Amino acid sequence: MRLPSSEPPPFISAAPRVRLIKAFATPFANVIATARTCYSSQGIVEDSQIGGEAERIALGLYQAGHHTTFQHAHFQFAIENVLRQCVWGFLHAHPFYNSEQASQRYARIREDACAIPPLQGEALAIYQSAVARAVEYYRRLGQELRPLVEREFFQRFRRSERMEKSHASAIGKKSQEIARYALPIGWHTALYHTV
């Protein structure tokens, strides 16, 4: 699809990728089955028992505010190259969701995983320079924080030779966790998102 010339071009960086991974087999029939179960003296109404009245019942349910029946169906998406701002501002705003997102606390960031808006010339150069500086400061801050984190860590946990490797890893992760605040909000992430 071509964008009209009056609209800005898409991001220079990788486009978001959304894949449906798992889906409830008969979500609409299940909305009606769960609603009919509420009023059934016969017990559970199965999806297979739903007939042609489904659309009328669904509209009535929605208009009556019986929205919980719509929350039984789940769809799981694999989402990649989406901005963390989108996750925080949009996906986490949904009242019923579950996300498992690549962590900036525990996984080192990829330097090429920042959104690049459709800039050109000097503006693009300034933007890319700012991102490179943020990555540099992120790495340096993680290193500079390590002695402080190590001191605080061993005030809380006993040092042991047997645990030295796991202690070093935990200290590194905590240093990285704090340093991530130097990164721009436009960093890409990947996640499973179920609604």
Side-chain angles (χ1 to χ4, degrees):
M1 177 177 145
R2 285 186 102 163
L3 296 173
S5 59
S6 62
E7 292 187 27
F11 278 77
I12 295 170
S13 52
R17 183 173 173 215
V18 179
R19 293 176 290 139
L20 178 63
I21 300 297
K22 293 184 175 43
F24 214 83
T26 53
F28 189 70
N30 187 257
V31 168
I32 307 310
T34 59
R36 290 197 47 211
T37 296
C38 293
Y39 305 101
S40 172
S41 59
Q42 305 302 312
I44 298 294
V45 175
E46 301 276 337
D47 294 6
S48 60
Q49 296 173 275
I50 302 307
E53 77 281 7
E55 286 186 30
R56 180 186 56 77
I57 293 172
L59 181 60
L61 288 169
Y62 191 81
Q63 290 173 340
H66 194 173
H67 298 165
T68 57
T69 60
F70 294 90
Q71 296 167 7
H72 290 284
H74 288 282
F75 300 91
Q76 183 184 56
F77 299 91
I79 305 173
E80 300 167 287
N81 296 330
V82 65
L83 300 180
R84 287 181 175 274
Q85 177 61 40
C86 173
V87 173
W88 297 334
F90 177 69
L91 296 179
H92 288 186
H94 189 272
F96 304 99
Y97 76 93
N98 185 24
S99 288
E100 304 303 328
Q101 181 176 351
S103 173
Q104 281 183 327
R105 295 187 319 177
Y106 303 117
R108 290 190 68 87
I109 59 107
R110 286 186 14 244
E111 293 182 26
D112 64 342
C114 191
I116 303 173
L119 302 172
Q120 296 176 357
E122 185 65 18
L124 179 59
I126 290 169
Y127 182 86
Q128 289 173 322
S129 174
V131 169
R133 275 196 319 268
V135 170
E136 176 189 346
Y137 292 149
Y138 160 78
R139 299 216 190 288
R140 283 178 46 197
L141 184 57
Q143 292 168 354
E144 293 295 322
L145 288 167
R146 196 171 180 95
L148 170 67
V149 171
E150 185 172 7
R151 186 178 68 240
E152 294 294 322
F153 183 88
F154 288 120
Q155 284 181 359
R156 289 165 179 77
F157 304 102
R158 190 176 58 130
R159 188 184 293 260
S160 85
E161 272 186 48
R162 189 173 69 83
M163 299 293 287
E164 199 64 37
K165 189 174 182 180
S166 66
H167 288 332
S169 176
I171 290 165
K173 299 294 183 191
K174 286 295 180 189
S175 301
Q176 185 174 295
E177 179 179 354
I178 300 165
R180 71 191 163 125
Y181 291 104
L183 295 172
I185 193 75
W187 224 264
H188 285 158
T189 190
L191 66 149
Y192 275 107
H193 186 73
T194 301
V195 293

